[in-house]
Amino acid sequence: MTDEEAIGRVIDAMYAMVSGPKGPRDWSKQREVFHDEARQMRTGLDANGKPWIKIMGLADYSSDTKDFFAQNDFFEVEIGRRIRVFGNIADAWSLYEARTAPDDTNPERRGINAIQFYRGEDGRWRIMSMIWDNERPGLKLPDLG
């Protein structure tokens, strides 16, 4: 398997972990996908247009999303991907749509997960950090072509 294929499987597993009908998520695979020291960073703009960021460790993210996932059907579906690899580091831009069903044609939102990876001593790729932002007026997803 190529590095790009292995990284792609990690990305697929990350989306599978957060996607599903309303109810709790199975976080048992979290440490297979994410490095123990990984950070997940949600960004956006407040009502005044000022940028904000929320930085979370693994436990912080699962705790932060618990109520949302319990009450909402949520499927994050990848619609585009670009991966670059150099030695034991890699990055990916993963374009996504957030939907209430996997085949929903009217997404609730779209955005980019910018993901950094590290290949550890065991040869496995894991997410070290992931930062994301959503489309909004004046900000549209790029063409990764």
Side-chain angles (χ1 to χ4, degrees):
M1 174 180 337
T2 67
D3 288 331
E4 288 81 1
E5 290 169 335
I7 291 166
R9 287 185 179 187
V10 172
I11 294 170
D12 293 344
M14 180 272 299
Y15 281 121
M17 198 169 22
V18 299
S19 296
K22 64 182 170 183
R25 296 300 188 253
D26 177 6
W27 298 112
S28 65
K29 295 189 184 279
Q30 192 175 37
R31 296 209 186 275
E32 293 175 25
V33 174
F34 290 90
H35 187 277
D36 288 344
E37 298 296 323
R39 294 292 177 263
Q40 294 172 274
M41 297 160 278
R42 180 183 300 125
T43 69
L45 299 177
D46 69 14
N48 297 317
K50 182 179 174 183
W52 58 264
I53 188 168
K54 182 169 187 171
I55 302 171
M56 299 167 278
L58 299 182
D60 299 325
Y61 178 80
S62 58
S63 176
D64 184 67
T65 58
K66 181 180 179 180
D67 290 342
F68 175 82
F69 288 146
Q71 300 169 19
N72 297 280
D73 295 333
F74 179 81
F75 295 85
E76 202 165 64
V77 178
E78 188 178 50
I79 58 171
R81 175 187 296 172
R82 182 185 70 207
I83 297 172
R84 299 180 300 183
V85 178
F86 182 78
N88 292 317
I89 64 171
D91 69 4
W93 268 30
S94 176
L95 284 61
Y96 64 83
E97 293 182 343
R99 305 174 181 175
T100 56
D103 57 354
D104 190 353
T105 58
N106 187 23
E108 154 191 338
R109 65 181 171 269
R110 297 170 7 130
I112 295 178
N113 287 315
I115 311 167
Q116 291 72 47
F117 300 85
Y118 168 68
R119 179 180 22 216
E121 292 178 10
D122 60 3
R124 293 179 54 207
W125 290 99
R126 288 190 182 83
I127 297 171
M128 285 301 304
S129 66
M130 185 166 78
I131 188 167
W132 63 93
D133 203 350
N134 294 321
E135 274 187 327
R136 56 184 165 271
L139 183 63
K140 297 295 178 198
L141 294 182
D143 178 6
L144 295 182

